[in-house]
């Protein structure tokens, strides 16, 4: 073989290695799982259409939030959230009320909380993928008079 042919083959090989290294895709294994790293509450939806309900993030504790609502007969509350990363393999989240008197205060149906009376609920949202990602939301349900005097 001529020197020029060998040189062309070597240059082509080096250029192809560089191109694949820069523009090539990273190989992922067949059964790659992407776990939920964080759950972030985004919006509070109520059956009584209370406007401007805010989700307050705790300054002292990571992963804790609070929501204040006025009580009304038949009040149903749903706190929407986003998971990070959005393309998690199992993006399901379960909801549990963790305070001892939760059965007296509310009934939980999936991700909806049906409030039965005035009180404070400690709600735990946990990813079901085994990652351990979770948040706690304190739902303060006040009498309408107290709520509107505070929010005045």
């Amino acid at each position: 073989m001529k020197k020029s042919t060998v040189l062309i083959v070597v240059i082509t090989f080096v250029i192809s290695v560089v191109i694949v290294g820069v523009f090539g895709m990273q190989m992922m294994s067949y059964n790659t799982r992407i776990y939920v790293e964080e759950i972030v509450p985004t919006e509070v939806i109520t059956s009584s259409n209370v406007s401007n309900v805010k989700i307050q993030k705790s300054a002292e504790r990571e992963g804790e939030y609070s929501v204040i609502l006025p009580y009304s007969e038949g009040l149903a509350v749903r706190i929407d959230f986003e998971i990070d990363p959005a393309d998690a393999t199992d993006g399901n989240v379960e909801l549990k009320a963790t305070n001892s008197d939760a059965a007296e205060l509310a009934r939980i149906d999936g991700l909806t909380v049906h409030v039965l009376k005035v009180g404070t609920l400690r709600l735990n949202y946990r990813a079901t993928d085994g990652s351990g990602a979770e948040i706690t939301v304190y739902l303060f349900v006040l009498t309408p008079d107290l709520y509107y005097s505070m929010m005045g």
Side-chain angles (χ1 to χ4, degrees), residues 32-43:
T32 300
R33 291 189 54 83
I34 301 171
Y35 292 98
V36 174
E37 295 174 12
E38 185 179 25
I39 303 169
V40 180
T42 56
E43 182 181 13

Side-chain angles (χ1 to χ4, degrees), residues 6 13-14 16 21-22 26 46 56 58 61 75-76 106 113 120 123:
V6 173
F13 176 75
V14 169
S16 65
V22 171
Q26 181 181 7
T46 68
Q56 299 293 326
S58 173
R61 295 190 181 159
L75 177 64
V113 179
T120 301
L123 304 172

Side-chain angles (χ1 to χ4, degrees), residues 75-146:
L75 177 64
V77 179
R78 180 178 170 101
I79 299 174
D80 284 346
F81 54 85
E82 292 178 351
I83 58 169
D84 183 39
D87 64 342
T89 305
D90 179 4
N92 293 322
V93 173
E94 68 178 1
L95 169 62
K96 290 184 181 176
T98 57
N99 42 327
S100 59
D101 59 347
E104 299 171 15
L105 297 174
R107 181 175 49 82
I108 295 178
D109 181 19
L111 294 174
T112 303
V113 179
H114 298 277
V115 179
L116 303 174
K117 66 180 189 177
V118 172
T120 301
L121 278 167
R122 185 173 57 234
L123 304 172
N124 180 264
Y125 291 81
R126 178 182 292 240
T128 59
D129 64 356
S131 65
E134 67 179 350
I135 60 169
T136 300
V137 177
Y138 290 93
L139 180 61
F140 298 100
V141 182
L142 309 176
T143 61
D145 294 338
L146 180 58

Side-chain angles (χ1 to χ4, degrees), residues 42-76:
T42 56
E43 182 181 13
V44 179
I45 301 167
T46 68
S47 60
S48 59
N49 295 322
V50 178
S51 60
N52 297 326
V53 176
K54 299 201 180 345
I55 303 170
Q56 299 293 326
K57 187 174 184 175
S58 173
E60 296 92 36
R61 295 190 181 159
E62 185 68 29
E64 287 193 359
Y65 300 85
S66 61
V67 174
I68 302 173
L69 289 172
Y71 177 76
S72 62
E73 191 68 35
L75 177 64

